Amino acid sequence: MRAQIDRRTLRTDRWWLPPLVTAVGLLLISIYAAARTFMGEYYWVDEYHYLTPMYSPCLSQECLPAAAHFGRPLPELPGFLTPPVVILPFLLGFRVTCYYYRKAYYRAAWLSPPACAVAEPHAKYTGETRFPLIAQNLHRYFFYAASILLLINVYDAFYALGTGLGLGNIVLLVNVGLLGAYTLSCHSCRHIAGGRLKHFSKHPIRYRMWTFVSKLNARHMQLAWASLIFVCLTDLYVALVASGTIADPRIIN
Ligand code: FES
């Protein structure tokens, strides 16, 4: 039931600012991610074993052999496709179906509604009960896939420590820390940890896990943005070192 008022909203604050910032932020990050995905180079620093998380795991024949930590089981990709297109559907699926991002882009992109107590332009509301939005319910499965990719990123970060310690290693480690915190703070993860239990007292370990995940979950929006921005910065850093634009400051050789 909508309020029967002739104005779109009675709010007098700058309610349009958060959706605008969200829309601009998501657009810029999407452009950067698309550009890097289709660049197809500068994803591996041979000297220090830095692999950008955007190309990990690198599984097709185009991958540089040293960057393919799990082999190259996939054939050469056709046309303009590059190795990240293999993992992108899972990473994108995880973020796009995330409860926080849903709220963010429903407001920022579809204005549905743009903010609390501001009428939306759409006449009808069907929620997430029909195709394609019913696919949002696949989030839990994307969580599983993203968790595997996260473990691979952790492996990459520690693998790179085999060559010493440089700023790039710290960047890779902070990146997996943020990605890990974001993934663990997921609502599906919280449900897996402590959902469907009638008595927490009978499941002390799951209760502890649920308590821990719940604390992270309270920061899910912040972790969503921090991990998304930092994964781009990590990729940019690896690309700059791989292309020879900057040198990686070394702490231990
Ligand atoms: Fe955001 Fe699962 S709810 S990642």
Side-chain angles (χ1 to χ4, degrees), residues 176-189:
V176 290
L178 284 171
L179 285 178
Y182 168 63
T183 308
L184 280 176
S185 72
C186 168
H187 291 70
S188 289
C189 179

Side-chain angles (χ1 to χ4, degrees), residues 8-135:
R8 190 171 172 212
T9 182
L10 298 177
R11 285 181 68 167
T12 53
D13 61 338
R14 290 189 295 171
W15 57 264
W16 44 268
L17 192 57
L20 180 67
V21 171
T22 304
V24 171
L26 291 179
L27 183 68
L28 291 177
I29 287 173
S30 304
I31 293 171
Y32 176 81
R36 279 293 289 147
T37 295
F38 293 106
M39 191 177 281
E41 55 185 350
Y42 306 135
Y43 57 88
W44 169 250
V45 180
D46 205 35
E47 199 177 353
Y48 307 128
H49 293 178
Y50 297 156
L51 175 61
T52 169
M54 285 194 186
Y55 280 69
S56 175
C58 210
L59 297 171
S60 56
Q61 287 296 321
E62 296 88 342
C63 297
L64 297 168
H69 297 156
F70 300 92
R72 299 184 293 173
L74 301 180
E76 197 154 313
L77 299 168
F80 58 90
L81 297 182
T82 52
V85 299
V86 176
I87 51 167
L88 208 59
F90 302 104
L91 292 177
L92 217 54
F94 185 48
R95 297 259 174 184
V96 166
T97 60
C98 162
Y99 290 28
Y100 163 67
Y101 284 111
R102 268 141 90 169
K103 172 187 145 187
Y105 66 74
Y106 285 172
R107 289 186 173 191
W110 292 345
L111 312 176
S112 179
C116 288
V118 180
E120 58 183 306
H122 314 282
K124 266 200 321 188
Y125 175 76
T126 55
E128 295 170 338
T129 56
R130 295 186 193 169
F131 184 81
L133 291 186
I134 198 164

